[in-house]
Amino acid sequence: MKLLELHIYGYGKIENKRFSLKDLQLFYGENEAGKSTIMSFIHSILFGFPTKQQSLLRYEPKSSTEYGGKILCQMDGHGTVSIERIKGKATGDVTVQFEDGRMEGEETLQQLLGHMDRATYQNIFSFNLEGLQNIQRLKKEDLNRYLFSAGSTGTDLLLQLEQNWQKEREQLFKKSGRKPMINTVLTQLKSLEKQVREGKEKNEQYRPLIAKQQSLETRVSSMEAEKADLTEKKQNLVSVNENWDSLSGFKRVKERLAQLEAIEFPAKGLELLNELKTEERQVSAYLESLMAKQEKLQNKLESEEIDTSINEDLPFMEKIMSQQSFYLKWKEESSERSRELKTVRSKINDTIRELGLTVEMEEIQSLDTSLMMSDRIQNALDQQSKLLHERDSLHKHYEEEKEELHRIESKCDDLEERLMEEDEYQELQRTVKSQSSRQVSRDQAHWMNMQVKEAEERFSRNKASLSQQLLLIGAALLLLSGFGAWAIVTGNWLVTGISLLLLMVVGAMGMQARGNLQEESRSLQKAKARAEELQPEGKLEFNSPERAEQSLKQQMELRSEWKQRILSLEEQQAKLQKLHEKQKGIEKEIVLGEERVSHLISELCLPPDFHWKWLRDAFAKMKEAVSNYEAYIHLKEEQAYVFNKMNEYKEDCQEWFHRHSLTFTTVEEALIKLKGITQDIEKRKLIINSIQSELEPLSLEIEKLSIELRKIRDESQTLIESAGCLNEAEFREKALHVEERNELSAQYSGIKTRMTKRTFDTFLRFDSQEEIRKELTRVSQRIDKLSAELSAHQKELASISYEIKVLEEGKSYSSILQEFQGKKAELQELAYEWSKYTLAQVSLSKTMDLYQKTKMPKVMKLAEENFRELTEDHYLRIFLQEDEMIRVERKDGAVFHAVELSQGTKEQLYIAIRFALIQSFRDKYPLPVLIDDGVVNFDRERTNAFLKLLRKMAKKHQILFFTCHPHIKNTFSGEEMIVLKRMEKEAIRTS
């Protein structure tokens, strides 16, 4: 089982959280960040919420009604499985959902977990600091118990059974005990054995008395039975003697009944015959009245007969009338369609006139309104707009470049004017070679001239800019004045105030710009005056080396600048030439684009003078016109269909009226007449149906009464024949004999109820009353003799019973012996129970020993490997001996008990054993391992060794490791780590 995702609905202080898990997953967080809560959540989802009787915390949320969550896991053979447990019964309601959508419950979850319980899982796969610190108390027996419980059933159920069996054995028997049940029964048996010996001595004189008592009781019983028989016989004889006359009459009645016994006659035959005759008369009278009523109704039915031809056409009439609503609907639809056709035709004609189309309305459908045409129009318009935009941009660019060319030419002309003639320049060069310096004043004059030149150029540009600004300011002032005047007229004072404010601002800007230009003009005049002052009078002479050198330098700079300007001029001319050629190309493309647009306008049947900018809107209106024309065609078809239906309906009505020789005027009048005819037919049908509804039960009743009358007559004849008679008179005569027999039977029964059968049998055995009296005397004498003998025997029996009672003052020997045997049987049952528990405990002990011999060596080998890796081969072996604590061997051969080790080493030993147990159960229980702060007491080297072993374990087991130590956090990558923030926890607590 590999956990993929935890989804906590509500558990402790964590609500609505999801965590995705890897094979090795670190949960890092400070104290109270939720690490223990997440561990408990995993336990609870897999094994159920702790019950209120258990000591474990339930972690029920305080601020949420949702309790529980879901774990998504990967299981071999089942794929992705979802385990959800929410609040319900004590341990919660669990739902296990498989990939195929199958939903199961708690039993399936236990099967998936290998029937392992929470306690065993926590003892092996989940441990914390508390378990690490208890390693010194772990014995071989404890490890064996873990192995056996997890390897057999997944729980400690068998170990609990062993403890219960031991308790049961101790409750049954202890060697030196007094209260156990077998010990108590043994004590009672010793006491009973002594009483049996004493009772056996008294039993020798007791037995003869018992035998004599039993003999007398038998004799008395037989005599009492004989006396009872004789007494009953005497009573019968007395009864026969007293009722001799009645018994003689009873005998005569019996003989007459024997004579009448041969007559066969049905029970209550005469009464049945009389009832049948009465019923026959009543039925005959009722049948005659019903037949008269039937004849009367038949005559009335004949008078209400309907015309056959009209009756046959009744379905057609009903059909015509049922279609009346359709006719009215068709009529209304026809009017509606006419109005709609007029509206659609008007829309189409309006579109044709608006666009100036050169087609008629019937040809409108031939216009190309396809998506391809729409795309062509869009492309043509976009391309033409783009070309016009490019032409405007090129023209603007061309003008700007042309202006730049003029500016460069002006510069070149200015430079050429300032350059010396070539002869003069060469003379200056020769002069500079012969002179070493120039005058300072000539340099200043030259510099001032340059400043004046630049100031003049700047002044010209600013003056041109000022002219443009003044034009814009004038336009703005005019616009704002108009806007302010409008606001004053409309009374909008806020707009008036804003307009005045803007007028003031714009006017101030204009005044400021004009003032700046005047100030610049004054500065230019001052610079010119200064330049004239510095300019030498007369012909330029090179009287000093400095002045000649300065002139040469100035001329060289001017020549250099002139060359650069010439190059710039050539480049600018080439650029203008390219722009001119590009403009020509654009113009050609614009002409071609106009031809394409004209072709599209022609294809769409638009007038030649139609402007191409409106083409997109025109195409949309044409599409709408085509759509309207299609709707127009559809409406015309619908109108034609409605006309056809109305004409068919009218023709059907006319045909029916002509067939029945009736006058047809309009459809509406025809429908009124049809309705009247139908109502008359329906009225007649109701009358006919009413008569037929009366006739039908009447006919059934007549038929039923006829059958009943025949049945009564047949029953009367059958009754007469059953008595063996030919006619009614013979039947009635025979009924008189049956009545006599019934009276004699009543007398016979009356006498018989007063006399018992035994009395009557006694009467039949004697021929005369004298014989009965003699037998009565003899029986009385025998009863008296038996009474005397019986009294003597009863006295003797009372004397013997008293003697036996004296001997039986204590318990009898037999009861003591019976109690003794009962206790022996009870002892055998208890011994059997004790043997069962003993055999079961011995068998379980042997099984555990066998498990230890086969499994324990493998576990210890794995534990030694883990311990060597954790201690970096400092400790080599682990020893487990019977009833001893764990011992370990250091690499130098020294052996230590676990309690003698340092806390860190003890925890390493515990982890090694725990990991060995987990490794040994991997095939049977591939469950995730949970570790809570298992390296608290480890230094850096031990921590690194532990983490190395942890990653090795994670290759075959999923491990969730919980810690609050940053140095451990730093050894894990971001994908392997989930950080639990305490602030989130506090936010949950606050909410």
Side-chain angles (χ1 to χ4, degrees), residues 307 309-310 312-317 320 651-664 674:
D307 187 359
S309 62
I310 294 178
E312 290 175 353
D313 283 346
L314 189 60
F316 178 80
M317 295 165 63
I320 292 294
E651 289 171 1
D652 289 343
C653 291
Q654 284 180 334
E655 191 272 333
W656 189 87
F657 270 80
H658 293 156
R659 191 169 67 247
H660 291 281
S661 303
L662 296 173
T663 304
F664 179 84
L674 282 173

Side-chain angles (χ1 to χ4, degrees), residues 22 88 120 144 168 192 216 259 296 312 394 530 923:
K22 306 294 183 182
T120 306
N144 194 29
E168 292 291 341
L192 286 172
L216 285 172
Q259 294 174 0
K296 185 178 178 181
E312 290 175 353
L394 280 172
R530 178 64 178 164
D923 294 336

